[in-house]
């Protein structure tokens, strides 16, 4: 029997593992290798440069800018979609008519591609006839022609709003799933005992939603590290790198300037950040499991 | 979900809530509606600042332009040629590995399983350069192959996760009975376990189709000539050609999103379930 099992394990696992190993694990490891070279993407010849690429990171002004932007992006991407998603989930959980329709509306943007979302929001920010300027002009009664995506002050935040619009639906459904797990009797008891809606939310619902919050926050962080497509479409990292993120910076260095060795070093840093966050996430998940599971 | 819950939930004011939700829903729909409106308006109307008003007449010229453009046909064909095989392959491989992790566990199989699932969390930029070098080396750059292959591999974490979790719910007694009757593991997998796992397969097919169809990064890196581009890259390329033809751009966006929109509308249940399952269990 044991021999039978071993045969089938090998037979069934070898293909998936080969594909995963060859196209995910091996490239991941090679990234470390290339980060110590000066490969330019085309020449078969390249040489080892030791820690030069990492030393360059420390002095690269654009890397610093990208790291700051990634942090802003990350914090905003945690706060905005999480808060909005939680609010929507609470509203929808209150047995409203048409909850299903509402849910689909809030969820719809998730199935659109970043390219389409970027396009839609580029039009909202369009200076001449974009929705935002049109509304501002209507309200103030004066012509308003601010180029949201072309100004260093507003470019990053404009993209963050678009991104939050797309991501809110995801945190909403995760919170909705978490809410269904809270027994209705519990809230009923609280109400009878005279707890105000705010107290019920603050002292009962929110703590019981902790596992969902961990998931939502972790997903937001991870997705924001991947933040690339929508920036590429809407601002290309500009103007003057004011909306560059690490993912964007890595792409530019590797595939625009063909500094693939340096690009690999950036990707290694990106990997280490992701690794730290995933580690934190799994630890937090276990803690939440212990308390509420 | 929400409409089957007991009456007493957090929040006592149904009418207010309904109103708030309506306002938010309108705000949420506005961006999408803008694209819809643009696609049925002439460029003149839009540049006159009338994009956001209801159209006086239905103008279909934008759609005619998009659907008659041979480049768009090519983009669509390429996207299908990438999406369909990559979806099928990732789910198949996920089922194979998921079966072992659920039904034939071995020492260290849990670590291996978690290792694969962790792949879901990493930014794809981490493997960009080595994959470019690999496919460049074997002369596959500027073909659809690398895109198909990489999507098949990167789909594995979510596919393995879901197949393994679903297979775990299939009673072991079923497998043992079939084995006693002389069935091989392969027959157990294909004739017993997989037919019982149609919901999981539906979830994965919906998710994978949507992600691969919408992807931008991999075709951007691996393809170069216009006749190898997928639709999402195509939209960006055509921006030059239709630079101020906003209506055509809008129509193009709609047409490009149509497959995923249809998948979403028909398989909403599976899609949402997949997103939450993948997220919560991960």
């Amino acid at each position: 029997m044991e021999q039978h099992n071993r045969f089938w394990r090998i037979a069934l696992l070898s293909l998936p593992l080969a594909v995963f190993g060859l196209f995910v694990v091996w490239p991941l490891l090679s990234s470390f290798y290339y980060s110590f070279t000066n490969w330019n993407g085309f020449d078969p010849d390249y040489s080892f440069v030791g820690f030069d690429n990492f030393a360059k990171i420390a002095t690269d002004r654009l890397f610093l800018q990208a790291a700051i932007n990634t942090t802003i992006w990350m914090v905003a991407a945690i706060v905005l979609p999480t808060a909005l998603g939680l609010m929507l989930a609470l509203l929808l959980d209150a047995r409203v008519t048409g909850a299903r329709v509402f849910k689909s509306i809030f969820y719809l943007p998730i199935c659109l591609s970043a390219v389409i979302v970027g396009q839609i929001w580029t039009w909202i920010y369009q200076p001449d006839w974009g929705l935002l300027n049109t509304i501002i002009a209507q309200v103030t009664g004066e012509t308003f022609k601010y180029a949201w995506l072309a100004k260093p002050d507003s470019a990053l935040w404009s993209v963050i709003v678009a991104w939050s619009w797309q991501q809110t639906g995801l945190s909403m459904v995760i919170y909705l799933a978490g809410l269904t797990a809270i027994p209705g009797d519990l809230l009923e008891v609280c109400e009878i005992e005279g707890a105000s809606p705010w107290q019920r939310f603050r002292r009962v619902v929110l703590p019981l939603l902790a596992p969902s919050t961990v998931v939502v926050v972790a997903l937001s962080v991870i997705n924001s590290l991947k933040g690339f497509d929508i920036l590429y479409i809407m601002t290309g990292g500009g103007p003057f790198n004011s909306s560059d993120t690490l993912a964007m910076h890595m792409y530019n260095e590797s595939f625009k300037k063909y500094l693939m060795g340096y690009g690999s070093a950036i990707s290694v840093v990106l990997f280490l950040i992701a690794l730290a966050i995933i580690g934190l996430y799994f630890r937090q998940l276990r803690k939440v499991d212990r308390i509420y599971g | 979900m929400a409409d089957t819950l007991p009456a007493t939930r957090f929040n006592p004011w149904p009418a207010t809530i309904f109103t708030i939700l309506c306002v938010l829903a309108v705000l949420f729909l506005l961006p999408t509606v803008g694209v819809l409106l643009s696609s049925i308006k002439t460029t003149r109307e839009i540049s006159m600042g009338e994009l956001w008003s209801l159209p006086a007449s239905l103008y279909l010229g934008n759609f005619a332009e998009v659907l008659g453009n041979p480049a768009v046909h090519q983009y669509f064909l390429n996207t299908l040629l990438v999406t369909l095989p990559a979806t099928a392959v990732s789910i198949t491989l996920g089922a194979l590995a998921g079966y072992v992790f659920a039904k034939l566990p071995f020492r260290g199989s849990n670590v291996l399983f978690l290792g694969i699932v962790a792949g879901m969390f990493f930014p794809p930029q981490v493997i960009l350069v080595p994959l470019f070098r690999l496919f460049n080396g074997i002369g596959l750059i500027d073909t659809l192959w690398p895109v198909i292959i990489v999507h098949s591999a990167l789909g594995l974490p979510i596919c393995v996760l879901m197949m393994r979790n679903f297979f775990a719910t299939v009673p072991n007694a079923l497998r043992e009975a079939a084995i006693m009757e002389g069935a091989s593991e392969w027959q157990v997998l294909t004739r017993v376990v997989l037919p019982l796992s149609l919901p999981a397969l539906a979830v994965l097919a919906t998710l994978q189709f949507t992600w691969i169809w919408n992807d931008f990064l991999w075709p951007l890196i691996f393809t170069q000539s216009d006749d190898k581009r997928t639709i999402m890259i195509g939209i960006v390329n055509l921006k030059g050609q239709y630079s101020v033809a906003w209506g055509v751009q809008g129509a193009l966006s709609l047409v490009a999103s149509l497959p995923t929109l249809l998948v979403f509308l028909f398989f909403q249940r599976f899609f949402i379930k997949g997103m939450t399952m993948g997220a919560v269990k991960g």
Side-chain angles (χ1 to χ4, degrees), chain A residues 61-244:
Chain A
R61 199 184 51 80
L62 292 181
F63 180 89
L64 183 68
Q65 173 82 58
I68 293 171
N69 286 343
T70 304
T71 315
I72 295 176
W73 175 278
M74 225 187 260
V75 173
I78 292 172
V79 175
L80 292 177
T82 309
L84 249 176
L86 175 62
M87 190 179 87
L88 290 176
L90 287 171
L91 291 174
L92 284 170
D93 196 45
R95 290 183 32 102
V96 257
T97 1
R100 279 180 65 107
V101 179
F102 283 125
K103 226 161 47 179
S104 311
I105 290 175
F106 297 130
Y107 203 71
L108 181 81
I110 283 277
C111 81
L112 297 176
S113 84
V115 174
I116 307 289
V117 174
Q119 165 126 339
I120 292 177
W121 282 84
T122 307
W123 287 8
I124 290 185
Y125 296 127
Q126 213 277 344
D128 299 321
W129 43 259
L131 182 64
L132 190 55
N133 285 354
T134 309
I135 290 175
I136 293 177
Q138 294 262 323
V139 172
T140 59
E142 290 165 36
T143 45
F144 193 82
K145 303 259 173 188
Y146 188 77
W148 298 90
L149 293 172
K151 296 279 195 279
D153 290 337
S154 56
L156 182 65
W157 283 99
S158 302
V159 183
I160 287 176
V161 171
W163 171 260
S164 304
W165 174 75
Q166 191 187 23
Q167 296 293 315
T168 296
L170 184 60
S171 43
M172 177 194 76
V173 287
I174 294 171
Y175 273 126
L176 271 175
L179 278 172
T180 50
I182 299 177
D185 324 2
L186 184 64
L187 297 173
E188 220 166 308
V189 170
C190 296
E191 206 175 355
I192 293 165
E193 295 287 326
S196 70
W198 171 251
Q199 281 174 322
R200 267 180 285 159
F201 170 68
R202 184 66 193 78
R203 304 268 168 223
V204 183
V205 176
L206 203 56
L208 284 174
L209 281 179
S212 312
T213 305
V214 170
V215 171
V216 170
V217 168
L219 273 185
S220 311
V221 173
I222 288 156
N223 283 338
S224 58
L225 272 185
K226 296 180 183 175
F228 172 79
D229 314 21
I230 196 168
L231 279 162
Y232 185 96
I233 301 298
M234 289 182 73
T235 66
F240 314 116
N241 304 87
S242 61
S243 60
D244 241 354

Side-chain angles (χ1 to χ4, degrees), chain A residues 34 37 39-41 253-255 258-265, chain B residues 129 132:
Chain A
Y34 289 118
T37 71
W39 189 47
N40 67 5
E253 296 294 322
S254 310
F255 292 92
Y258 295 108
L259 301 172
M260 298 233 176
Y262 184 50
S264 296
Chain B
V129 166
F132 179 79

Side-chain angles (χ1 to χ4, degrees), chain A residues 17-34, chain B residues 126-127 129-135:
Chain A
L17 284 188
V19 170
F20 193 73
L22 192 59
F23 300 109
V24 180
V25 179
W26 179 79
L28 182 71
L29 298 176
S30 333
S31 258
F32 283 84
Y33 171 82
Y34 289 118
Chain B
V126 178
I127 55 174
V129 166
L131 282 177
F132 179 79
R133 186 172 161 88
L134 173 72
F135 289 118

Side-chain angles (χ1 to χ4, degrees), chain B residues 201-213:
Chain B
L201 292 176
V203 167
L204 284 176
T206 332
L207 279 183
Q208 285 294 93
F209 182 90
T210 309
W211 281 338
I212 302 171
W213 185 278

